[in-house]
Amino acid sequence: MSIMFQQAALEKLDNYFAPLADRPGKSVYFYRFAGSSPEVTAFLQRYYEAARRGGVIIDGRLPNPDAGQLAYFSEMMGMDFRMDRAFLSQRLSKWLPRMSAAQRDAVTAAIFSTLEDMLRQGKNENMLRNAYIKYMCWLYYKFERILNQLGAQSPPKILYDGAVSHYELQLFVVLSRAGADLVMLERGGDQGYLQLDPDSAWSRLYRWDGLAPFPPHFSLKWLQEELTRAVNRQRLYGTPPELEPCTNAWMKKPELAQVLTGAQARGGDGRFFYNSFLAQYGVPDRLTFSGDLFGFYQQLKSEKRRVCVVNGGIPVPTPDEVAAIPRGNYQNIEQMAGDLARNIQNSASAELQRLMVKAFIDTVLTEGGQGGAPLSRATNQAVYLLCWLRRWQRELFEGWRPPQISVFILFGKCATEHEARFLRLLARLPVDVVLLQPDLNLGSCLRDPGLLELRYEDSLPMEAFPAEASQIRVSTAAYQAERDLDSMMYQDTGLYRSQQYAKAEAVTLQTMYEEIAILWDQELKYRPTFQVRNGTVTLPVLLEKICGVRDGQAGQYWQEIKKLITPDTLVVPALPWVSPLDANPMRTCATQFLRNGKLQKRAIKEHKSYPYGILRAEMQDYLLDKLQLLLDQRTIAGTYQNGTEYTIIAAALNLKKEVLRLIQKFDFTKKNPKLIVINTSEEILSLEDSILFAFLNLLGFDILFFVPTGYQCIERYYPRPFANEQQIGEYLYDLSPPDFNTLQERGRNPIRKWFGRS
């Protein structure tokens, strides 16, 4: 009896390409991929090429055998069937004669085992015959060319992209048991597969941190196009450079001082130039940092290193610089990159020119098409890179000879993706690229897997890099002591400066109805679960649906609501609060603001209709962070299913003026803004209302829904329970909310009123 191949667990994706002898036992791999990541995409590109060369690629379902195929099978093999190994082996020998005896035994055992599985599931003989005929036709017409590779050191590769059917899955199990590797793409998720194989007994789901749903553009055709682009990229380089970067790996320890290491002392392999790419956030010592930085600069200059210092961000290219870059009309990004690369000229060093051309093309092709950006935008980005490269080429590279390494220092902040992209380009060249950001209150756009990040707890605002002695600012010990005392008073003491924190996370309190009035007008810092950790405030908020009227007393009901109306409270007396027909200038542009599930925050802020530019900068970031969280949590039904995500973006970017004013003054350690919603009718929350209430809850608003009817009026667009529900009395209908500004409090005699008691 032949021993079938067993499925093995992956330790890493590259195991798919290991020879059979290096695998555990007699094993193959059969995995399905329901999510993607850069690593998965790179693997699938490599696997696609392997399947193209020595396997089978299936885009969509396998077609059922047609009448002509069935007729040929009947003529050659007959239509009889027996559940017998010898019968299957004899038929395979005649039907697929190119297989060796060992391969035929493996396929026979695999088919027999799979048919046995069907038999145990209660399938009758007629079903087994149909499955057998389908297997034989599919093996002959679709897989015949790989069957004679089964059992070889490099197992044949099968790549499937489609909604797999029961018979297809059985055939894939046959091929896996016979010695083939399989990869199944599940671009719509894993739910369909689990209906066929609830216990994942026949294949394994690939699981890894950081997987996200496949982007809409992902397909086998896209994979093929990416492979073609990779080949074309090699052609774009022309003569490739002889040197490659070795970035940061040569450092003896992670510190800024390593930049002072001479080029000769960094490494001796002639294939590489040894550069650094680092960002330092904060300062190791506020008293001495300015002087130490001046000494650092002086030592670089004394060693005749070429040093370029840019303060406060890289100035955008001037109109003259942009006009000096000739460009044409391009059909694709590769054509654009290759044509614009002709603007890079360095007559003094052919090797440096090759390095710059390769760095430019790699940067443009890697980053220019991210998120499906239009070619015009990628072209503008590329022009920025060329303008800046021309601006500093002479200062950085005049007279360059290997192994010389110049230094580019960006001081203050890296505020835009354009700047970050240029720094990443320079890091591919013989340049030490350094971002120094001593002020921790500034944000940074610079991200890169190869970036060395140095972080210190102390922050020091500085206007410019101290390249001259006159620029050095040395703080006195007394001045720093005052700053330290300020920090001591407002760190973990229960005392807080005004607007001390810029980040917060809302958590919903579960309370009794009687507690609402007690907690309602309290500062957040006095509520249960309030805390500050790592600069983020935990906001305990109220989110309650209050059904019915206590004792059926409508007058007292309105009085209780009136007592909750504070200066920070908005009252919505009826639904809808926001109608789908209301004007919303963000509705038409919302689709521009989301790429692969991520908000394009810079594009939002730069849009002409962006309404929140008047708010504090940190509050703008807070709003956009919570909008991203609302999308990620899929709180609203239909998110990432039917375009609801764009309605969410449009609604969240069109808050009413009175709401914005509450948000602008919101201090996370004090009283939070509040919203009271009254619904006495049969109206239900509109989609826009549902979005706004969920968004305001994430921002830290207290929200109370008063529903005297007890109707299910807020639940429609929330797939999960949204608000805590309180039942306080009998249901009343056809009530009309009063004017709370004129509503007089009842039940207070003059003496009790004098002492402020009701």
Side-chain angles (χ1 to χ4, degrees):
M1 175 179 174
S2 299
I3 299 176
M4 292 184 294
F5 285 79
Q6 302 299 312
Q7 291 182 25
L10 282 173
E11 295 181 0
K12 55 184 180 179
L13 290 171
D14 282 351
N15 290 156
Y16 256 105
F17 307 105
L20 209 57
D22 293 344
R23 301 187 184 190
K26 193 177 182 182
S27 61
V28 292
Y29 300 106
F30 186 0
Y31 271 80
R32 55 190 194 274
F33 290 77
S36 183
S37 69
E39 293 76 14
V40 167
T41 299
F43 160 75
L44 291 176
Q45 289 175 338
R46 184 179 176 190
Y47 191 89
Y48 180 98
E49 184 63 17
R52 187 185 67 81
R53 292 177 179 275
V56 175
I57 297 171
I58 305 164
D59 193 355
R61 283 188 171 181
L62 287 169
N64 284 322
D66 60 29
Q69 293 170 346
L70 291 173
Y72 180 70
F73 178 79
S74 176
E75 178 185 346
M76 296 297 297
M77 308 297 297
M79 300 300 284
D80 55 328
F81 167 76
R82 292 198 306 274
M83 185 61 181
D84 177 75
R85 283 178 179 270
F87 170 81
L88 293 174
S89 179
Q90 184 270 331
R91 294 301 168 130
L92 284 170
S93 177
K94 181 179 180 182
W95 184 240
L96 297 163
R98 289 208 304 159
M99 286 192 295
S100 67
Q103 291 165 342
R104 183 170 57 255
D105 287 347
V107 175
T108 298
I111 292 177
F112 187 80
S113 177
T114 303
L115 293 175
E116 278 188 324
D117 291 340
M118 294 178 63
L119 203 58
R120 283 190 290 269
Q121 295 168 4
K123 308 299 183 185
N124 59 38
E125 184 175 349
N126 190 50
M127 293 178 177
L128 298 183
R129 175 186 288 105
N130 289 340
Y132 153 75
I133 293 172
K134 272 195 175 184
Y135 298 163
M136 296 292 274
C137 288
W138 276 338
L139 289 173
Y140 182 85
Y141 288 106
K142 190 66 179 178
F143 297 97
E144 194 273 341
R145 71 185 183 88
I146 68 164
L147 296 178
N148 64 348
Q149 301 174 36
L150 296 172
Q153 279 301 303
S154 179
K157 305 286 187 284
I158 298 171
L159 176 59
Y160 179 85
D161 181 14
V164 68
S165 68
H166 193 77
Y167 281 113
E168 285 177 311
L169 182 55
Q170 290 174 341
L171 178 70
F172 295 152
V173 173
V174 167
L175 292 166
S176 174
R177 289 170 171 172
D181 288 330
L182 288 101
V183 164
M184 185 182 297
L185 300 184
E186 298 181 314
R187 290 187 284 141
D190 197 40
Q191 296 77 12
Y193 177 90
L194 292 177
Q195 293 179 5
L196 304 178
D197 181 18
D199 299 324
S200 289
W202 293 338
S203 70
R204 301 169 189 257
L205 178 65
Y206 181 74
R207 303 178 188 274
W208 201 260
D209 293 340
L211 291 182
F214 282 103
H217 66 266
F218 195 96
S219 66
L220 292 184
K221 181 179 179 181
W222 177 83
L223 278 178
Q224 182 183 22
E225 290 171 349
E226 284 296 295
L227 289 167
T228 303
R229 289 191 189 102
V231 173
N232 291 338
R233 183 182 302 190
Q234 296 297 323
R235 296 173 183 156
L236 292 177
Y237 297 148
T239 303
E242 297 177 359
L243 296 174
E244 295 181 27
C246 175
T247 305
N248 294 342
W250 54 270
M251 290 186 178
K252 295 181 179 178
K253 53 184 176 180
E255 62 178 9
L256 177 62
Q258 292 291 302
V259 175
L260 299 173
T261 305
Q264 298 284 4
R266 297 183 178 189
D269 192 328
R271 297 173 299 169
F272 301 105
F273 59 83
Y274 297 86
N275 67 342
S276 56
F277 187 24
L278 65 87
Q280 178 173 300
Y281 302 107
V283 298
D285 190 323
R286 285 174 292 178
L287 290 176
T288 63
F289 180 72
S290 185
D292 291 344
L293 211 54
F294 177 71
F296 171 82
Y297 179 77
Q298 290 298 106
Q299 185 169 343
L300 289 174
K301 298 297 287 186
S302 68
E303 295 175 357
K304 308 300 182 184
R305 299 276 297 275
R306 289 195 163 275
V307 183
C308 176
V309 177
V310 179
N311 286 299
I314 302 176
V316 299
T318 66
D320 288 342
E321 287 178 317
V322 172
I325 305 295
R327 51 196 180 276
N329 296 319
Y330 306 113
Q331 300 299 316
N332 53 58
I333 195 168
E334 290 83 5
Q335 183 187 25
M336 177 268 285
D339 183 64
L340 290 182
R342 298 176 185 175
N343 289 280
I344 300 173
Q345 300 293 328
N346 189 291
S347 57
S349 171
E351 177 65 10
L352 180 60
Q353 177 165 330
R354 293 174 190 138
L355 285 169
M356 289 193 291
V357 167
K358 185 177 188 302
F360 172 76
I361 290 175
D362 285 345
T363 303
V364 170
L365 297 187
T366 301
E367 305 187 31
Q370 285 184 347
L375 186 59
S376 58
R377 184 184 304 172
T379 303
N380 292 336
Q381 294 170 0
V383 170
Y384 267 53
L385 295 177
L386 291 171
C387 290
W388 284 333
L389 195 58
R390 281 188 173 184
R391 184 186 296 176
W392 285 297
Q393 178 176 330
R394 184 171 181 178
E395 191 171 351
L396 289 171
F397 300 118
E398 186 175 28
W400 179 84
R401 292 291 182 273
Q404 294 173 356
I405 302 291
S406 52
V407 184
F408 185 91
I409 299 173
L410 178 59
F411 187 83
K413 61 181 178 180
C414 177
T416 69
E417 284 299 331
H418 284 302
E419 295 170 270
R421 191 176 298 107
F422 181 62
L423 295 184
R424 289 191 286 268
L425 182 149
L426 286 182
R428 302 172 187 261
L429 299 174
V431 181
D432 286 336
V433 181
V434 179
L435 170 64
L436 295 176
Q437 191 169 303
D439 188 348
L440 292 175
N441 294 316
L442 300 176
S444 174
C445 289
L446 185 58
R447 303 287 185 275
D448 192 80
L451 177 68
L452 170 62
E453 295 189 2
L454 308 175
R455 296 186 179 273
Y456 297 96
E457 294 182 357
D458 288 336
S459 180
L460 182 64
M462 291 180 64
E463 294 182 359
F465 184 91
E468 304 292 339
S470 60
Q471 295 177 289
I472 299 176
R473 295 288 187 270
V474 179
S475 302
T476 66
Y479 176 85
Q480 289 301 334
E482 183 183 14
R483 302 280 76 73
D484 292 342
L485 180 61
D486 181 75
S487 298
M488 290 171 61
M489 288 180 62
Y490 299 112
Q491 292 292 336
D492 303 321
T493 63
L495 301 175
Y496 302 101
R497 291 194 308 271
S498 177
Q499 306 293 350
Q500 182 172 350
Y501 297 103
K503 295 182 179 180
E505 295 178 352
V507 296
T508 301
L509 292 173
Q510 287 198 319
T511 69
M512 297 175 60
Y513 174 69
E514 290 73 15
E515 292 180 285
I516 294 174
I518 299 172
L519 296 169
W520 184 253
D521 203 29
Q522 275 189 349
E523 291 189 359
L524 291 166
K525 62 185 177 183
Y526 299 126
R527 291 184 178 180
T529 73
F530 174 88
Q531 66 175 349
V532 180
R533 180 174 296 174
N534 299 325
T536 299
V537 184
T538 299
L539 309 176
V541 301
L542 299 171
L543 180 60
E544 303 285 337
K545 177 186 177 186
I546 301 161
C547 299
V549 177
R550 189 187 294 276
D551 300 325
Q553 299 296 315
Q556 185 61 33
Y557 180 71
W558 300 126
Q559 292 287 344
E560 291 179 0
I561 294 177
K562 178 178 174 65
K563 292 176 183 178
L564 297 174
I565 300 176
T566 71
D568 294 322
T569 303
L570 290 177
V571 178
V572 179
L575 294 178
W577 187 32
V578 177
S579 168
L581 302 178
D582 290 348
N584 185 343
M586 305 307 291
R587 187 178 291 125
T588 58
C589 51
T591 55
Q592 306 171 25
F593 300 151
L594 192 67
R595 295 290 183 273
N596 299 326
K598 297 299 180 184
L599 280 178
Q600 303 301 296
K601 297 178 183 178
R602 178 176 173 81
I604 293 174
K605 290 182 178 181
E606 291 180 347
H607 196 275
K608 63 180 180 180
S609 299
Y610 175 59
Y612 301 158
I614 58 175
L615 300 179
R616 293 179 284 133
E618 60 271 20
M619 187 53 73
Q620 295 182 49
D621 292 335
Y622 181 69
L623 284 165
L624 296 180
D625 287 344
K626 295 310 175 188
L627 176 52
Q628 180 70 68
L629 181 61
L630 180 61
L631 294 167
D632 292 344
Q633 291 182 343
R634 302 172 192 252
T635 305
I636 305 300
T639 305
Y640 295 122
Q641 293 178 3
N642 54 19
T644 301
E645 58 272 19
Y646 301 118
T647 306
I648 294 172
I649 292 171
L653 293 178
N654 192 45
L655 296 177
K656 295 173 179 286
K657 182 187 297 185
E658 57 268 28
V659 176
L660 284 183
R661 290 177 175 177
L662 290 177
I663 292 172
Q664 168 71 357
K665 72 173 186 176
F666 184 16
D667 189 327
F668 299 147
T669 61
K670 297 181 173 60
K671 294 181 181 180
N672 58 328
K674 304 169 193 306
L675 194 65
I676 292 176
V677 184
I678 302 170
N679 187 23
T680 62
S681 68
E682 298 177 359
E683 290 288 336
I684 65 173
L685 291 188
S686 67
L687 173 59
E688 287 74 11
D689 282 345
S690 302
I691 292 167
L692 290 184
F693 294 139
F695 186 45
L696 296 180
N697 169 247
L698 291 178
L699 291 176
F701 277 60
D702 286 336
I703 304 177
L704 300 181
F705 297 95
F706 283 95
V707 187
T709 62
Y711 287 150
Q712 295 287 294
C713 60
I714 74 169
E715 290 80 5
R716 178 174 180 180
Y717 292 103
Y718 299 121
R720 298 180 295 276
F722 179 58
N724 303 320
E725 188 168 302
Q726 307 275 0
Q727 298 287 339
I728 66 169
E730 65 179 279
Y731 299 148
L732 295 185
Y733 307 95
D734 302 320
L735 296 180
S736 295
D739 182 351
F740 290 104
N741 293 321
T742 60
L743 182 66
Q744 297 296 320
E745 295 189 37
R746 299 176 181 176
R748 298 179 69 181
N749 61 46
I751 294 178
R752 296 177 68 84
K753 185 175 181 180
W754 180 266
F755 289 100
R757 298 174 182 269
S758 59

